[in-house]
Every structure is written in structure tokens, then in C-alpha cells.
Amino acid sequence: MRRRHFLAGGAALTATAALAPLAHAAPRPAALPPRAAIVAVLRRVADHWIGAHTDPGDNLWANATFFSGLLALRRLTGDARYLAYARNWAEQHDYALNGGETTRHADNQCAAQAYLDLYEAEPEAAKLTALEANLHRMTFTDQPDKNDDWWWDDALHMAMPPFARLGALRGDPAYAQKLHRLYAHAKHTEGGPGLYDDTTGLWYRDKRFLPGGIVAPSGKPVLWSRGNGWVAGGHAKTLKALAGSHPDVPEYRATLTRLVNAVAAVQRPDGFWNVNLADPAHLPGPETSGTSFFLYGTAYAIRAGLVGRAALLPVAARAWHGLVGTAVHPDGFLGYVQKVGDRPESSQPITYDSTADFGVGGFLLAGTELAALTG
């Protein structure tokens, strides 16, 4: 069934109108810089963060997203410093999950992505003990038929990849099957119709924002940029983990492709995306975290052949030039990151000096994926 957006007062808003772009500053270049230039910026941003955080911090979702990005940069560069910093972080937490092995909360499972990266770099069984105990419980013994845990779209980034990667590593299809049941609930059932808006290919953050719920001051829908960025990142990481022949891959590919094409249509000329994709006048301005994850998803989709390179590479290039030219400080500090929240109004105002660990992680993921497009 096709779903319609609704304005306050009951007037229908078409998908095209809901995603109308807004003119901004002068357009960014549509060509990629050389690979070495991309890597140099990534190193500058990563090194600044590490230098400012001698204590690597907690293992909650936000910091875990940083380490996912840092370890992607480690794979790209082979830099042992990044591996050592991440290893020290994981060892401080004994490769455990916040909430323990009984947790069902997707945020608590995000750290497992970095643990899996560290395991791939230096295989030691103890690195995956907590993760495997946790996902085994959810899949086999602790209410295995309960599939409503992913009630917000951020969960797709936090938890889809650990299920997919552990299942692939162990050769056990049950983990990917459980993943898809959780995913299907979020997409098609949560809140009644599900969080996926099939008129646009975008996602509502949670059921509060479904038609008839929270809207922008203008009455237009709220389709939060970073929420959709989490979805893009979760799909890209999951597709990297699953074999191309896996039965759920066509759906994940189609969903990511539709999302990437939808956001391409509303990219700002300066390369960024607005915090509300459905209303460019709703707190307009550059925002780094959503933009980074859209760049990550777009670059992956190009590399995987899901979208045409000629059509989407300029989108990726504009996003990169916008981020580097506007958000990256000369010393590597990354600004214009909307801090923790759940909607466009969260953590406002967003400024040149607004940053967060997960924003840095998203930027590193985006840049490493983009660098792979340069050959």
C-alpha cells in the first residue's frame, strides 16, 4: 500500500513536494580529488580526534561508530597507530557489550562492529565471546520470536551489521534470518505501517513521526537526515557482509538504491543535506553527520554497481568537497555535526564548532569508501 504524507489540517503532500530542494551557496565541484588528497584529509581528522582524546572513551554507540570509521581508515592505510588505539579501547572494555549478554538494545551492539574489525585484523576467539553470546541468545534462546526490538531507524546501523557479519563468519544462516525478521518489523510493521515511507524511499525516525504525528513547523513531514543516514550506513555495511547470492540481498540492495537516489534529488548545491529532508526551510544549514552517511551509502552504491557512476559520482564529489571545504578545520577538527538527538531540533544550533565522535566516525567511513572509487 502506498502511503501519503499529510500536512497539518489534512492537506496531502506529494512525495515530490515533500522532497523539494532549496538553493544555497555556490555549487561545489562535481569531480573527485586524487586519492592521496582524500587520505590526507582523513588522516588529519582522525589524528586530531585521537590527539584530543588520549582516553579512548566508552563503548556506547556513539564512540563505537567512531571506532568503526577509524578501523575502516586503518584498513585503507595500514596505519598501525589506528589499530593500536582501537585495540586499547576494546581491551579497556574487555570486548564486552554495554548491558551485558542479555541486552536486546541495538545501541549496545554497535561496539561489536569494531570488535569484528579487530578480530579480522588479529583473530582471537575472546574478542567475539560477548557478541556471540548476546546474538545467540536473541536468535535461539531468549524469545527468538520477538522481533520488535528495532523500533527506531538508527537501530539498522547499530545492529544489522553484527548479525550479518557473525552469521557469515560462523556459516550459520540463522543470524541473517533473525536479522531480516527484526528488519522487516522496523520497515513494515513498527507503529502500524512501519517506518519505511514507500512514496519516497525514505524512513521516519520512529513511530512518533508517522503521518498524523510530529511534523515540522510548516506542517510538512519530518524525515530526519541523520536517521536516514543511519539507514544508509546499516544497509551498506550489511551488504558488504552478505554473499551476493543471499536471499535477502535483493531487498537490501533495492532499498539502499532507492534511498540513495531519493537523497541525491535533494542535495544542496553546497554538497550538504538539510536536517529535515522533507522541508529545506526547517532549520536550514550545513550538517555533517547525515551528509557523511549519505556520502558513505552513495559511494558504496556506486562501487557495488547499484547506481550509475556517471549519475551519482557528482553527488558524492559535491558532498566530499562540501564537508572538506566547510566542516573540516585546518587542524582536523570536524565541525557542523548535529550532536545526539532524534530530530532536526535536537542539539541546535549546529555550528562550525559542533562536533561528536559518531560524526567523526561517519566522516571517516565516507572518505574511505570514496577513496576506493579513485582506483
Side-chain angles (χ1 to χ4, degrees), residues 232 235-236 239 252-261 297 300-301 306:
H235 278 77
L239 285 166
Y252 298 148
R253 284 176 173 166
T255 304
L256 178 60
T257 299
R258 190 146 184 241
L259 190 157
V260 163
N261 282 320
Y300 169 77
L306 306 183

Side-chain angles (χ1 to χ4, degrees), residues 86-111:
R87 186 195 305 115
N88 179 47
W89 164 76
E91 289 176 352
Q92 284 187 21
H93 298 289
D94 296 322
Y95 290 89
L97 302 181
N98 186 58
E101 70 175 48
T102 63
T103 186
R104 302 184 69 94
H105 202 291
D107 285 354
N108 293 334
Q109 295 161 339
C110 188

Side-chain angles (χ1 to χ4, degrees), residues 312-354:
L312 271 295
L313 190 62
V315 172
R318 282 192 294 268
W320 177 254
H321 288 295
L323 288 163
V324 174
T326 300
V328 178
H329 295 207
D331 65 356
F333 181 97
L334 184 70
Y336 288 110
V337 177
Q338 183 183 20
K339 296 183 181 181
V340 173
D342 62 2
R343 66 189 76 189
E345 289 84 359
S346 299
S347 300
Q348 292 284 349
I350 302 166
T351 72
Y352 184 61
D353 295 319
S354 301

Side-chain angles (χ1 to χ4, degrees), residues 61 104-108 148-159 185-186 190 195 203-208 224 227 230-231 341-342:
W61 67 268
R104 302 184 69 94
H105 202 291
D107 285 354
N108 293 334
D148 60 356
D149 297 285
W150 297 354
W151 52 265
W152 74 118
D153 63 3
D154 312 32
L156 303 191
H157 170 266
M158 310 306 171
H185 173 90
E190 176 63 27
L195 304 181
W203 296 62
Y204 295 97
R205 195 271 178 178
D206 59 62
K207 67 183 180 183
R208 297 171 299 164
W224 187 35
W230 289 133
V231 172
D342 62 2

Side-chain angles (χ1 to χ4, degrees), residues 14-327:
T14 66
T16 301
L19 299 180
L22 182 69
H24 286 276
R28 291 290 180 177
L32 290 183
R35 180 187 182 100
I38 296 173
V39 173
V41 175
L42 294 173
R43 284 185 175 277
R44 180 155 41 104
V45 170
D47 291 349
H48 181 278
W49 186 269
I50 290 172
H53 297 84
T54 54
D55 178 350
D58 63 40
N59 66 344
L60 302 180
W61 67 268
N63 203 32
T65 300
F66 164 74
F67 280 98
S68 176
L70 183 69
L71 288 165
L73 181 58
R74 201 284 308 179
R75 287 192 296 274
L76 177 68
T77 64
D79 195 321
R81 294 179 304 122
Y82 301 148
L83 181 61
Y85 185 76
R87 186 195 305 115
N88 179 47
W89 164 76
E91 289 176 352
Q92 284 187 21
H93 298 289
D94 296 322
Y95 290 89
L97 302 181
N98 186 58
E101 70 175 48
T102 63
T103 186
R104 302 184 69 94
H105 202 291
D107 285 354
N108 293 334
Q109 295 161 339
C110 188
Q113 298 185 43
Y115 300 163
L116 283 156
D117 290 339
L118 289 164
Y119 176 86
E120 289 179 0
E122 299 171 328
E124 297 172 22
K127 295 176 179 177
L128 302 184
T129 300
L131 166 64
E132 191 152 22
N134 175 245
L135 298 193
H136 188 274
R137 285 179 64 94
M138 283 189 68
T139 303
F140 296 103
T141 64
D142 182 7
Q143 304 177 80
D145 295 326
K146 175 176 163 42
N147 297 309
D148 60 356
D149 297 285
W150 297 354
W151 52 265
W152 74 118
D153 63 3
D154 312 32
L156 303 191
H157 170 266
M158 310 306 171
M160 283 179 74
F163 275 94
R165 293 177 66 180
L166 183 65
L169 183 64
R170 299 299 187 229
D172 189 338
Y175 290 105
Q177 291 164 1
K178 177 64 175 179
L179 155 61
H180 191 264
R181 293 195 298 272
L182 291 158
Y183 172 85
H185 173 90
K187 187 177 185 181
H188 298 301
T189 305
E190 176 63 27
L195 304 181
Y196 181 66
D197 180 357
D198 59 8
T199 67
T200 62
L202 300 176
W203 296 62
Y204 295 97
R205 195 271 178 178
D206 59 62
K207 67 183 180 183
R208 297 171 299 164
F209 298 91
L210 291 169
I214 297 171
V215 295
S218 65
K220 293 179 180 179
V222 175
L223 290 164
W224 187 35
S225 178
R226 186 162 73 236
N228 279 276
W230 289 133
V231 172
H235 278 77
K237 289 179 175 182
T238 299
L239 285 166
K240 287 186 176 190
L242 295 178
S245 59
H246 191 279
D248 297 322
V249 159
E251 179 182 4
Y252 298 148
R253 284 176 173 166
T255 304
L256 178 60
T257 299
R258 190 146 184 241
L259 190 157
V260 163
N261 282 320
V263 299
V266 293
Q267 185 183 34
R268 295 157 40 126
D270 64 2
F272 287 88
W273 278 270
N274 290 303
V275 289
N276 185 357
L277 301 173
D279 186 354
H282 186 191
L283 297 165
E287 199 288 303
T288 293
S289 64
T291 296
S292 292
F293 276 104
F294 289 147
L295 172 53
Y296 177 59
T298 299
Y300 169 77
I302 295 169
R303 281 218 306 140
L306 306 183
V307 296
R309 185 182 178 100
L312 271 295
L313 190 62
V315 172
R318 282 192 294 268
W320 177 254
H321 288 295
L323 288 163
V324 174
T326 300

